[in-house]
Amino acid sequence: MTILPSAASIPPATIRLRLPAAVDRHRIVWSYAVTVGVYHLIALLAVLPWFFSWTGVGLAIAGIYVFGGLGINLCFHRLLTHRGLVCPKWLEHGFAILGVCSMQDTPARWVAVHRRHHEHSDRQDDPHSPLAGFLWGHVGWMLVENRDLVRLGIYERYAKDILRDPFYRRLERTLLYPIIVVASWAVFFLGGFAASLLTGHGVETAARFGTGLLIWGVFVRIVLVWHITWSVNSLAHLWGYRNYETGERSRNNWFVAILTSGEGWHNNHHADARSARHGHRWWEIDLIFGFVCGLQAVGLAWDVCKPDRRAIARLVGKRPKP
Ligand SMILES: [Zn+2]
Ligand SMILES: [Zn+2]
């Protein structure tokens, strides 16, 4: 259990943090900025009636749980970053592919940036503290150059264990990452196209239906999962209650917890980062942990880290701290 220092060391709510010293706000990271912009624009096409279908809406919503929940929240975060559980390698890599389809960069990069966040939470060197501005913490931090986050430098310090796995090394060094991304687009388009043809529609209708599923099932879903993941960095460091006196301003935010299937219990998470269970009180519902318990029950997860029982016991009966 890592309960970080005393309340006295918590940055006050009114503080306006400086951006990390290594940030050059005039140097745009164009690869990220263009990707984020183009995906938002394509996602907007979803409002056009040609591309609308309830199947597409259903795929976007289910995709939030499958790609965001299992790929990012379970795999990139609880499994790879914090090693809160162990899975068979084939299953871990399967979940990691779902994470890659969420377009949040490679597993090694995601892990390295997030470990740095835990090391410097809500201090100047935190890559994305919202105390330096809500939009900075939400998305701005990744759109401008930060020399602290130069790939090889943070890999050396924070992601050596990840890169010992040849699969994650291939995602860095070969075209495997873009191939997985484009293949996922093809699955949505061709799936819709074929289903439409097989139900007796013409090629034009089938192409439109396939394109609609691509827009909803990939682009809308990715944009939604982006904002959901980013809201953990922004909303859950600003608003909500605290169970633990951690040395930063992490919060338990029920709205974020619903969107993320449990990641919004972020103050609990900062108090005990290794734990695979983020909901510590009985009513702090954590669907991801429920899924982990299911995996464990059928022998597909083991060494599952749980929060310190004594710390939870101390919580019981106490009112959450404002
Ligand atoms: Zn945090
Ligand atoms: Zn974490």
Side-chain angles (χ1 to χ4, degrees), residues 130-184:
L131 300 189
F134 176 84
L135 277 179
W136 170 261
H138 194 71
V139 61
W141 67 274
M142 71 177 81
L143 304 181
V144 296
E145 190 177 288
N146 179 349
R147 291 187 307 282
D148 287 339
L149 305 184
V150 169
R151 222 165 264 267
L152 289 179
I154 52 167
Y155 285 178
E156 179 65 23
R157 178 141 182 217
Y158 297 104
K160 272 182 168 171
D161 57 322
I162 304 296
L163 291 172
R164 273 197 284 275
D165 183 321
F167 176 67
Y168 299 126
R169 277 205 308 275
R170 277 206 298 281
L171 285 172
E172 300 295 322
R173 295 174 181 172
T174 69
L175 290 175
L176 184 58
Y177 185 98
I179 287 170
I180 291 172
V181 170
V182 173
S184 76

Coordinates of all heavy atoms in Angstrom, one line a residue, residues 130-184:
P130 N -3.9 18.4 -14.7 CA -4.9 19.5 -15.0 C -4.7 20.7 -14.1 O -5.4 21.7 -14.3 CB -6.2 18.8 -14.7 CG -5.9 17.8 -13.7 CD -4.6 17.3 -14.0
L131 N -3.8 20.6 -13.1 CA -3.6 21.8 -12.3 C -2.8 22.9 -13.1 O -2.7 24.0 -12.8 CB -2.7 21.5 -11.0 CG -3.4 20.5 -10.1 CD1 -2.6 20.5 -8.8 CD2 -4.8 20.9 -9.8
A132 N -2.3 22.4 -14.3 CA -1.7 23.4 -15.2 C -2.7 23.9 -16.3 O -2.3 24.6 -17.2 CB -0.5 22.7 -15.9
G133 N -3.9 23.5 -16.1 CA -5.0 23.9 -17.0 C -5.8 22.7 -17.4 O -5.2 21.7 -17.7
F134 N -7.2 22.8 -17.4 CA -8.0 21.7 -17.7 C -7.7 21.1 -19.0 O -7.5 19.9 -19.2 CB -9.5 22.1 -17.6 CG -10.4 20.9 -18.0 CD1 -10.8 20.0 -17.0 CD2 -10.9 20.8 -19.3 CE1 -11.6 18.9 -17.4 CE2 -11.7 19.7 -19.6 CZ -12.0 18.8 -18.7
L135 N -7.7 22.0 -20.1 CA -7.4 21.5 -21.4 C -6.0 20.9 -21.6 O -5.8 20.0 -22.4 CB -7.7 22.6 -22.4 CG -9.1 22.8 -22.8 CD1 -9.2 24.0 -23.8 CD2 -9.7 21.5 -23.4
W136 N -5.1 21.5 -20.9 CA -3.7 20.9 -20.9 C -3.7 19.5 -20.4 O -3.2 18.6 -21.0 CB -2.8 21.8 -20.0 CG -1.4 21.1 -19.8 CD1 -1.0 20.4 -18.7 CD2 -0.4 21.0 -20.8 NE1 0.2 19.9 -18.9 CE2 0.7 20.3 -20.2 CE3 -0.2 21.6 -22.0 CZ2 1.9 20.0 -20.8 CZ3 1.0 21.3 -22.7 CH2 2.0 20.5 -22.1
G137 N -4.4 19.2 -19.2 CA -4.4 17.9 -18.7 C -5.2 16.9 -19.5 O -5.0 15.8 -19.6
H138 N -6.3 17.5 -20.2 CA -7.2 16.6 -21.0 C -6.5 16.2 -22.3 O -6.5 15.0 -22.6 CB -8.5 17.4 -21.3 CG -9.6 16.5 -21.8 ND1 -10.2 15.6 -21.0 CD2 -10.2 16.4 -23.0 CE1 -11.2 15.0 -21.7 NE2 -11.1 15.4 -22.9
V139 N -6.0 17.1 -23.1 CA -5.5 16.8 -24.4 C -4.2 17.6 -24.8 O -3.4 17.1 -25.5 CB -6.6 16.9 -25.5 CG1 -7.1 18.3 -25.6 CG2 -6.1 16.4 -26.8
G140 N -4.1 18.8 -24.3 CA -3.1 19.7 -24.8 C -1.7 19.2 -24.6 O -0.8 19.3 -25.5
W141 N -1.5 18.4 -23.5 CA -0.1 17.9 -23.2 C 0.5 17.1 -24.3 O 1.7 17.0 -24.4 CB -0.2 17.1 -21.9 CG -0.9 15.8 -22.0 CD1 -2.3 15.7 -21.8 CD2 -0.4 14.5 -22.3 NE1 -2.6 14.4 -22.0 CE2 -1.5 13.6 -22.2 CE3 0.9 14.0 -22.5 CZ2 -1.4 12.3 -22.5 CZ3 1.0 12.7 -22.8 CH2 -0.1 11.8 -22.8
M142 N -0.4 16.4 -25.1 CA 0.2 15.5 -26.1 C 0.4 16.2 -27.4 O 1.0 15.6 -28.3 CB -0.6 14.2 -26.2 CG -2.0 14.4 -26.9 SD -2.8 12.9 -27.0 CE -3.5 12.7 -25.4
L143 N -0.1 17.4 -27.5 CA -0.1 18.1 -28.8 C 1.2 19.0 -29.0 O 1.4 19.5 -30.1 CB -1.3 18.9 -29.1 CG -2.6 18.1 -28.9 CD1 -3.8 19.0 -29.2 CD2 -2.7 16.9 -29.9
V144 N 1.9 19.2 -27.9 CA 3.1 20.0 -28.0 C 4.3 19.2 -27.5 O 4.2 18.3 -26.7 CB 3.0 21.4 -27.3 CG1 2.0 22.2 -27.9 CG2 2.8 21.1 -25.8
E145 N 5.5 19.6 -28.0 CA 6.7 18.9 -27.6 C 7.0 18.9 -26.1 O 7.0 20.0 -25.5 CB 7.9 19.4 -28.5 CG 9.1 18.5 -28.4 CD 10.2 19.0 -29.3 OE1 10.1 18.9 -30.5 OE2 11.2 19.6 -28.7
N146 N 7.3 17.8 -25.6 CA 7.8 17.7 -24.2 C 9.1 16.8 -24.2 O 9.0 15.6 -24.4 CB 6.7 17.1 -23.3 CG 7.2 17.0 -21.9 OD1 8.4 17.1 -21.6 ND2 6.3 16.7 -21.0
R147 N 10.2 17.4 -24.0 CA 11.5 16.6 -24.2 C 11.6 15.5 -23.1 O 12.3 14.6 -23.3 CB 12.7 17.6 -24.1 CG 12.9 18.5 -25.3 CD 14.2 19.3 -25.3 NE 14.3 20.0 -24.0 CZ 13.7 21.2 -23.7 NH1 12.9 21.7 -24.6 NH2 14.0 21.7 -22.5
D148 N 10.8 15.7 -22.0 CA 10.8 14.6 -21.0 C 10.2 13.3 -21.6 O 10.4 12.2 -21.0 CB 10.0 15.0 -19.8 CG 10.6 16.1 -18.9 OD1 11.9 16.2 -19.0 OD2 9.9 16.8 -18.2
L149 N 9.4 13.4 -22.6 CA 8.7 12.3 -23.1 C 9.3 11.7 -24.4 O 8.7 10.9 -25.1 CB 7.2 12.6 -23.4 CG 6.5 13.2 -22.2 CD1 5.0 13.4 -22.5 CD2 6.6 12.3 -21.0
V150 N 10.5 12.2 -24.7 CA 11.2 11.6 -25.9 C 11.3 10.1 -25.8 O 11.7 9.6 -24.7 CB 12.6 12.2 -26.1 CG1 13.4 11.5 -27.2 CG2 12.5 13.7 -26.5
R151 N 10.9 9.4 -26.8 CA 10.6 8.0 -26.8 C 11.7 7.2 -26.1 O 11.5 6.5 -25.1 CB 10.4 7.5 -28.2 CG 9.2 6.5 -28.3 CD 8.8 6.4 -29.7 NE 7.7 7.2 -30.0 CZ 6.4 6.8 -29.9 NH1 6.1 5.6 -29.6 NH2 5.4 7.7 -30.2
L152 N 12.9 7.3 -26.6 CA 14.0 6.4 -26.1 C 14.3 6.7 -24.6 O 14.6 5.8 -23.8 CB 15.2 6.5 -26.9 CG 15.1 5.8 -28.3 CD1 16.4 6.0 -29.1 CD2 14.7 4.3 -28.2
G153 N 14.3 8.0 -24.3 CA 14.6 8.4 -22.9 C 13.6 7.8 -21.9 O 14.0 7.2 -20.9
I154 N 12.3 7.9 -22.2 CA 11.3 7.4 -21.2 C 11.2 5.9 -21.3 O 11.0 5.3 -20.3 CB 9.9 8.0 -21.3 CG1 9.3 7.9 -22.7 CG2 9.8 9.4 -20.8 CD1 7.8 8.2 -22.7
Y155 N 11.5 5.3 -22.4 CA 11.5 3.8 -22.5 C 12.6 3.3 -21.6 O 12.4 2.3 -20.8 CB 11.8 3.4 -23.9 CG 10.6 3.5 -24.8 CD1 10.7 3.2 -26.2 CD2 9.4 4.0 -24.4 CE1 9.6 3.3 -27.0 CE2 8.3 4.2 -25.2 CZ 8.4 3.8 -26.5 OH 7.4 4.0 -27.4
E156 N 13.8 3.9 -21.6 CA 14.9 3.5 -20.9 C 14.6 3.5 -19.4 O 14.9 2.6 -18.6 CB 16.1 4.4 -21.2 CG 17.4 4.1 -20.4 CD 18.0 2.7 -20.8 OE1 17.7 2.2 -21.9 OE2 18.7 2.2 -20.0
R157 N 13.9 4.6 -19.0 CA 13.6 4.7 -17.6 C 12.3 4.0 -17.1 O 12.3 3.6 -15.9 CB 13.4 6.3 -17.3 CG 13.1 6.6 -15.9 CD 13.8 7.8 -15.4 NE 13.5 8.1 -14.0 CZ 13.3 9.2 -13.5 NH1 13.5 10.3 -14.3 NH2 13.0 9.4 -12.2
Y158 N 11.3 4.0 -17.9 CA 10.0 3.5 -17.4 C 9.5 2.2 -18.1 O 8.4 1.7 -17.6 CB 9.0 4.6 -17.6 CG 9.2 5.9 -16.8 CD1 9.7 7.0 -17.5 CD2 9.0 5.9 -15.5 CE1 9.9 8.2 -16.8 CE2 9.2 7.1 -14.8 CZ 9.7 8.2 -15.4 OH 9.9 9.4 -14.7
A159 N 10.0 1.8 -19.2 CA 9.3 0.7 -19.9 C 10.3 -0.4 -20.4 O 9.9 -1.2 -21.3 CB 8.6 1.3 -21.2
K160 N 11.4 -0.6 -19.7 CA 12.3 -1.7 -20.1 C 11.6 -3.0 -20.0 O 11.9 -3.9 -20.8 CB 13.5 -1.6 -19.1 CG 14.6 -0.7 -19.6 CD 15.8 -0.9 -18.6 CE 17.0 -0.2 -19.1 NZ 18.1 -0.2 -18.0
D161 N 10.9 -3.2 -18.9 CA 10.2 -4.5 -18.8 C 9.3 -4.8 -19.9 O 9.2 -6.0 -20.4 CB 9.5 -4.6 -17.4 CG 8.4 -3.5 -17.3 OD1 8.7 -2.3 -17.7 OD2 7.4 -3.7 -16.7
I162 N 8.6 -3.8 -20.4 CA 7.6 -4.0 -21.5 C 8.4 -4.4 -22.7 O 8.0 -5.4 -23.5 CB 6.8 -2.7 -21.8 CG1 6.1 -2.2 -20.5 CG2 5.8 -2.9 -22.9 CD1 5.0 -3.2 -20.0
L163 N 9.5 -3.8 -23.0 CA 10.2 -4.0 -24.3 C 11.1 -5.3 -24.2 O 11.6 -5.6 -25.3 CB 11.1 -2.8 -24.6 CG 10.2 -1.5 -24.9 CD1 11.0 -0.3 -25.1 CD2 9.4 -1.8 -26.2
R164 N 11.1 -6.0 -23.1 CA 11.7 -7.3 -23.1 C 10.9 -8.3 -23.9 O 11.3 -9.3 -24.3 CB 11.9 -7.8 -21.7 CG 13.3 -7.3 -21.1 CD 13.7 -8.1 -19.9 NE 12.9 -7.7 -18.7 CZ 13.2 -6.7 -17.9 NH1 14.3 -6.0 -18.1 NH2 12.5 -6.4 -16.9
D165 N 9.6 -8.0 -24.1 CA 8.7 -8.9 -24.8 C 8.8 -8.6 -26.3 O 8.5 -7.4 -26.7 CB 7.2 -8.6 -24.3 CG 6.2 -9.5 -25.0 OD1 6.4 -9.8 -26.2 OD2 5.3 -10.0 -24.3
P166 N 9.2 -9.6 -27.1 CA 9.4 -9.3 -28.6 C 8.1 -8.7 -29.3 O 8.3 -8.0 -30.2 CB 9.7 -10.7 -29.1 CG 10.0 -11.6 -27.9 CD 9.4 -11.0 -26.7
F167 N 6.9 -9.1 -28.8 CA 5.7 -8.6 -29.4 C 5.6 -7.1 -29.3 O 5.3 -6.3 -30.2 CB 4.5 -9.3 -28.8 CG 3.2 -8.7 -29.3 CD1 2.8 -8.9 -30.7 CD2 2.3 -8.0 -28.5 CE1 1.6 -8.4 -31.2 CE2 1.1 -7.5 -29.0 CZ 0.8 -7.7 -30.3
Y168 N 5.9 -6.6 -28.1 CA 5.8 -5.1 -27.8 C 7.0 -4.4 -28.6 O 6.9 -3.3 -29.0 CB 5.8 -4.8 -26.3 CG 4.6 -5.4 -25.7 CD1 4.8 -6.2 -24.5 CD2 3.4 -5.2 -26.2 CE1 3.7 -6.8 -24.0 CE2 2.2 -5.8 -25.6 CZ 2.4 -6.6 -24.5 OH 1.3 -7.2 -23.9
R169 N 8.2 -5.1 -28.7 CA 9.3 -4.5 -29.5 C 8.9 -4.4 -30.9 O 9.2 -3.4 -31.6 CB 10.5 -5.3 -29.3 CG 11.3 -5.1 -28.1 CD 12.8 -5.4 -28.3 NE 13.0 -6.8 -28.7 CZ 13.1 -7.9 -28.0 NH1 12.9 -7.8 -26.7 NH2 13.3 -9.0 -28.5
R170 N 8.2 -5.4 -31.5 CA 7.8 -5.3 -32.9 C 6.8 -4.2 -33.1 O 6.8 -3.5 -34.1 CB 7.1 -6.7 -33.3 CG 8.1 -7.7 -33.7 CD 7.5 -8.7 -34.7 NE 6.4 -9.4 -34.1 CZ 6.5 -10.5 -33.3 NH1 7.7 -10.9 -33.0 NH2 5.5 -11.1 -32.8
L171 N 6.0 -3.9 -32.1 CA 5.0 -2.8 -32.3 C 5.8 -1.5 -32.4 O 5.3 -0.5 -32.9 CB 4.0 -2.8 -31.1 CG 2.9 -3.8 -31.1 CD1 2.2 -3.8 -29.8 CD2 2.0 -3.6 -32.3
E172 N 7.0 -1.4 -31.8 CA 7.8 -0.2 -31.9 C 8.5 -0.1 -33.2 O 8.7 1.0 -33.7 CB 8.8 -0.1 -30.7 CG 8.2 -0.1 -29.3 CD 7.4 1.1 -29.0 OE1 7.8 2.2 -29.5 OE2 6.4 1.0 -28.3
R173 N 9.1 -1.2 -33.6 CA 10.1 -1.2 -34.6 C 9.7 -1.6 -36.0 O 10.4 -1.4 -37.0 CB 11.3 -2.1 -34.2 CG 12.0 -1.6 -33.0 CD 13.0 -2.7 -32.5 NE 13.6 -2.3 -31.3 CZ 14.5 -3.0 -30.6 NH1 14.7 -4.2 -31.0 NH2 15.0 -2.6 -29.5
T174 N 8.5 -2.2 -36.2 CA 8.1 -2.6 -37.5 C 6.8 -1.9 -37.8 O 6.3 -1.1 -37.1 CB 7.8 -4.1 -37.5 OG1 6.7 -4.4 -36.7 CG2 9.0 -4.9 -36.9
L175 N 6.2 -2.4 -38.9 CA 4.9 -1.8 -39.4 C 3.7 -2.5 -38.7 O 2.6 -2.3 -39.2 CB 4.8 -1.9 -40.9 CG 5.8 -0.9 -41.7 CD1 5.6 -1.2 -43.2 CD2 5.5 0.5 -41.3
L176 N 4.0 -3.3 -37.7 CA 2.9 -4.1 -37.1 C 1.8 -3.2 -36.6 O 0.6 -3.5 -36.8 CB 3.4 -5.0 -36.0 CG 2.4 -5.9 -35.4 CD1 1.8 -6.9 -36.4 CD2 3.1 -6.8 -34.3
Y177 N 2.2 -2.1 -36.0 CA 1.1 -1.2 -35.3 C 0.2 -0.7 -36.4 O -1.0 -0.9 -36.3 CB 1.8 -0.1 -34.6 CG 0.9 0.9 -33.8 CD1 0.7 0.7 -32.4 CD2 0.2 1.9 -34.4 CE1 -0.1 1.5 -31.7 CE2 -0.6 2.7 -33.7 CZ -0.8 2.6 -32.4 OH -1.6 3.4 -31.7
P178 N 0.7 0.0 -37.5 CA -0.3 0.5 -38.5 C -1.0 -0.6 -39.2 O -2.2 -0.5 -39.6 CB 0.6 1.3 -39.5 CG 2.0 0.9 -39.2 CD 2.0 0.5 -37.8
I179 N -0.4 -1.8 -39.3 CA -1.1 -2.9 -40.0 C -2.3 -3.4 -39.1 O -3.4 -3.6 -39.7 CB -0.1 -4.1 -40.2 CG1 0.9 -3.8 -41.3 CG2 -0.9 -5.4 -40.5 CD1 2.0 -4.8 -41.5
I180 N -2.1 -3.4 -37.8 CA -3.2 -3.8 -36.9 C -4.4 -2.8 -37.0 O -5.5 -3.1 -37.1 CB -2.8 -3.9 -35.4 CG1 -1.9 -5.1 -35.3 CG2 -4.0 -4.0 -34.5 CD1 -1.2 -5.2 -33.9
V181 N -4.0 -1.5 -37.1 CA -5.0 -0.4 -37.1 C -5.8 -0.5 -38.4 O -7.0 -0.5 -38.4 CB -4.3 1.0 -37.0 CG1 -5.3 2.1 -37.3 CG2 -3.7 1.2 -35.6
V182 N -5.1 -0.6 -39.6 CA -5.8 -0.7 -40.9 C -6.6 -2.0 -41.0 O -7.7 -2.0 -41.5 CB -4.8 -0.6 -42.0 CG1 -5.5 -0.8 -43.4 CG2 -4.1 0.8 -42.0
A183 N -6.1 -3.1 -40.4 CA -6.9 -4.3 -40.4 C -8.2 -4.2 -39.6 O -9.2 -4.7 -40.1 CB -6.0 -5.5 -39.8
S184 N -8.1 -3.4 -38.5 CA -9.3 -3.2 -37.8 C -10.4 -2.4 -38.6 O -11.6 -2.6 -38.5 CB -9.0 -2.6 -36.4 OG -8.8 -1.2 -36.5

